[in-house]
Amino acid sequence: MKSAKNLLIPLIVLIVLAVGVVGYFIYKNSNKTEETQSTMIDVLYIGTQDVQSVEVKSNEEGAPTVKVVSSMNSEGVISYSYEGSDKEEGASYSQSEMASFVTLLSSYSCNSLVSSEGNYAEYGLDNPAYTVTITTLTGSTYIAYIGNRTIDGTACYMRLEGSSDVYSVGVGKIAGASMTSVNFLESQLLNISFDNLDIVKFTRKSDGLNIEARCEIYESTGEPQYFIYEPFNIQASPYFENLVEYVATLEISQYMDIPQEELASYGLDDPEFSFTLIMKDGTKKIVYFSENMAGFYYGYIVGMDRYFMVSEMQVKGLETPVMTLLSSYVASNNVSNVSSIRATCGDESFEFKLDVKATESISAEGSSVTLDGRNAKVFNSDGRSYCATLYEAISCIALGGFDTEATVDLSADPVMTITIVTKDYVTHEYAFYERNSESCYVVTDGEYSCFYVYNKELFNDGGTDTYSYGVWPAYHLLVTAIDENINGVYDIS
């Protein structure tokens, strides 16, 4: 029994040692695997400032050769040109897209070394999907081959010419290598100068809307404003201004290759929206959009061969209700853009002259405001200026509604006439003709606007509330304030 016990003890020790050795190697290999996965291997690194060109050839029959060439000016600024076999004459290619392409495919920081056995077929490298040739400014050439994706799809296999080592690298390399000419085209299709824009036409099939507007630029601010002359006669709202800006500076999500037989599927056989932008020299751009499809519009520009897709965030306001596209007021103007206002009502008339800087208010110290040649900057004890009351009463005459069937007798005398002259010498006349005992038709520049206003906008006496005056009571209030002020202050009794 004793001898058997003596033999058993060494056996137990050997078993413990064996378990320890196995555990050590498992732990070591586990740490080694973790270390391999977390450490990137710089297989090839070429700084973009050293790259002369990057060329990609696909193994697909008929696929174009993609090539981006870089150059550097005397100030060290790098620029790129697209020189692929599918280059489009006259096309504008994006510098940022070409720069990203060069950066992505000129360097390879790999996840891990997969094989050194040269068994290329297993990784799709016997006939690589893409062959990438990087040429440096010194004339050196490096060739990288890109093969299959890994099983989990998060990486792909690659190797360099002259080496049998196969690596796994981020799958983004495939995305970059698969780019063609269309992927480098500028995403901003239009960049129209508003200084050159003359007429804007907007049509919408769903409600038969057909707006035509003229663009006018405030020289003092450089900002455009639009006066709609068809089917209404009224200034457009900021919503319309924003919509035109989206189209005039159109930036798309991507280009689309859509066969003719599939146009209906994208709503382009009979588009829902259209914009015609006519320049002062007579040239025009016509843009068509489909209806909204899952957050995107599909479209094309007349004269261009390609279709495009644009996000609803890139073109906002195509479905805006018609009344929202129109100004809520008859004659809304920023006070800094107005030079003078002349008005008549019955036997009375006045001339209101203004010189207000873009950064200041009508009541600011640096503003000059006169009524019939008299200083109109009179305030109440709370600092409210009566010239502001008159200006707001004029610029905020609210529309009451529209009546497209009415006929206005322009031979009759208008109830009131207001003529506004801007600092850019643009003049608009607004005449108000009696509609009934409660409202007046609005005639703009001699044409019935199809709108009417309620009489309170012209004749309401706000009493002590200087924010609720109609035009003519506001004029009388300012005259009284000028006549009776003491040291520039007048309080309504």
Side-chain angles (χ1 to χ4, degrees):
M1 291 292 291
K2 184 177 179 181
S3 60
K5 185 176 180 180
N6 289 339
L7 290 173
L8 183 60
I9 292 173
L11 179 61
I12 294 173
V13 172
L14 287 173
I15 292 173
V16 170
L17 288 174
V19 170
V21 170
V22 171
Y24 169 78
F25 281 108
I26 290 175
Y27 173 79
K28 184 177 180 181
N29 288 337
S30 174
N31 280 354
K32 183 177 180 181
T33 300
E34 183 177 345
E35 182 180 353
T36 301
Q37 292 176 341
S38 62
T39 303
M40 302 298 285
I41 304 170
D42 284 330
V43 176
L44 176 66
Y45 176 80
I46 302 174
T48 53
Q49 71 277 5
D50 298 320
V51 175
Q52 184 185 64
S53 67
V54 175
E55 180 183 274
V56 179
K57 292 184 178 181
S58 168
N59 66 359
E60 290 187 12
E61 185 177 352
T65 296
V66 174
K67 186 175 183 179
V68 172
V69 177
S70 68
S71 60
M72 183 184 297
N73 64 19
S74 58
E75 298 177 353
V77 178
I78 299 175
S79 61
Y80 299 93
S81 62
Y82 185 76
E83 303 297 339
S85 63
D86 57 348
K87 178 180 180 179
E88 299 181 20
E89 291 301 323
S92 179
Y93 292 97
S94 168
Q95 288 293 311
S96 61
E97 290 293 343
M98 290 188 287
S100 297
F101 172 82
V102 169
T103 300
L104 178 65
L105 295 180
S106 60
S107 296
Y108 296 82
S109 186
C110 299
N111 301 330
S112 63
L113 173 63
V114 177
S115 171
S116 297
E117 304 302 321
N119 48 336
Y120 302 143
E122 183 178 348
Y123 306 106
L125 292 170
D126 55 333
N127 180 28
Y130 301 100
T131 299
V132 183
T133 302
I134 306 107
T135 303
T136 68
L137 293 173
T138 60
S140 300
T141 299
Y142 300 87
I143 299 176
Y145 301 106
I146 299 176
N148 297 337
R149 295 172 185 261
T150 56
I151 294 176
D152 62 6
T154 61
C156 60
Y157 299 108
M158 66 80 60
R159 76 175 183 90
L160 291 180
E161 174 75 15
S163 171
S164 60
D165 293 340
V166 175
Y167 299 89
S168 65
V169 68
V171 74
K173 299 296 184 185
I174 290 181
S178 63
M179 295 176 72
T180 59
S181 168
V182 67
N183 301 115
F184 296 102
L185 292 173
E186 286 282 8
S187 60
Q188 186 169 2
L189 296 190
L190 295 176
N191 190 15
I192 292 173
S193 169
F194 295 107
D195 289 336
N196 297 324
L197 183 59
D198 186 19
I199 301 295
V200 177
K201 298 180 180 181
F202 171 47
T203 66
R204 184 166 59 200
K205 282 182 54 185
S206 59
D207 58 0
L209 180 64
N210 187 356
I211 286 179
E212 296 184 21
R214 188 175 300 279
C215 178
E216 295 180 1
I217 303 294
Y218 287 125
E219 292 183 5
S220 55
T221 62
E223 295 297 320
Q225 63 173 350
Y226 301 90
F227 284 92
I228 297 172
Y229 60 86
E230 184 67 39
F232 310 105
N233 198 334
I234 193 170
Q235 186 173 339
S237 74
Y239 291 95
F240 185 80
E241 294 175 7
N242 290 339
L243 177 57
V244 174
E245 183 172 358
Y246 281 122
V247 176
T249 58
L250 182 63
E251 186 159 351
I252 66 169
S253 299
Q254 67 179 63
Y255 290 92
M256 305 285 293
D257 289 323
I258 305 176
Q260 285 292 120
E261 62 272 15
E262 295 182 16
L263 290 179
S265 301
Y266 293 89
L268 292 177
D269 58 330
D270 190 15
E272 170 69 12
F273 309 98
S274 76
F275 271 89
T276 302
L277 307 175
I278 304 175
M279 307 301 119
K280 291 178 180 178
D281 62 3
T283 59
K284 64 177 66 175
K285 293 290 184 181
I286 304 175
V287 189
Y288 289 97
F289 296 98
S290 71
E291 62 185 349
N292 192 321
M293 296 182 175
F296 290 91
Y297 301 98
Y298 298 92
Y300 64 93
I301 297 176
V302 173
M304 292 184 65
D305 296 331
R306 296 189 179 278
Y307 300 99
F308 59 79
M309 181 174 73
V310 58
S311 164
E312 63 184 1
M313 301 303 293
Q314 292 171 297
V315 179
K316 298 180 181 179
L318 289 171
E319 292 94 357
T320 302
V322 59
M323 291 302 294
T324 307
L325 294 174
L326 313 178
S327 173
S328 300
Y329 306 108
V330 171
S332 178
N333 284 281
N334 188 307
V335 67
S336 64
N337 293 319
V338 176
S339 173
S340 68
I341 300 173
R342 299 187 301 273
T344 61
C345 180
D347 295 331
E348 294 184 289
S349 65
F350 68 80
E351 184 172 30
F352 196 36
K353 289 191 174 182
L354 307 99
D355 186 8
V356 181
K357 295 180 180 178
T359 57
E360 296 185 346
S361 68
I362 191 172
S363 56
E365 184 177 349
S367 300
S368 173
V369 187
T370 62
L371 180 67
D372 294 327
R374 305 167 70 191
N375 179 23
K377 290 172 64 177
V378 182
F379 301 80
N380 65 15
S381 296
D382 295 327
R384 168 69 165 165
S385 66
Y386 294 105
C387 61
T389 299
L390 177 57
Y391 185 79
E392 291 164 12
I394 295 170
S395 65
C396 297
I397 300 173
L399 296 174
F402 65 91
D403 185 350
T404 57
E405 303 300 322
T407 300
V408 181
D409 182 8
L410 298 182
S411 65
D413 292 330
V415 174
M416 186 184 299
T417 301
I418 298 173
T419 302
I420 298 176
V421 181
T422 71
K423 289 181 178 178
D424 302 331
Y425 308 105
V426 175
T427 301
H428 290 289
E429 181 186 84
Y430 306 93
F432 303 88
Y433 289 79
E434 183 176 358
R435 177 173 180 257
N436 54 39
S437 61
E438 297 180 349
S439 60
C440 290
Y441 293 116
V442 181
V443 173
T444 303
D445 296 332
E447 297 285 341
Y448 174 44
S449 68
C450 296
F451 295 95
Y452 60 85
V453 299
Y454 290 108
N455 290 347
K456 66 177 183 178
E457 300 295 325
L458 306 177
F459 300 109
N460 187 62
D461 187 333
T464 57
D465 184 0
T466 59
Y467 292 94
S468 63
Y469 269 75
V471 175
W472 222 253
Y475 158 62
H476 286 152
L477 176 62
L478 180 54
V479 170
T480 301
I482 294 173
D483 289 341
E484 301 182 14
N485 80 88
I486 299 175
N487 295 324
V489 176
Y490 169 79
D491 287 310
I492 301 171
S493 60

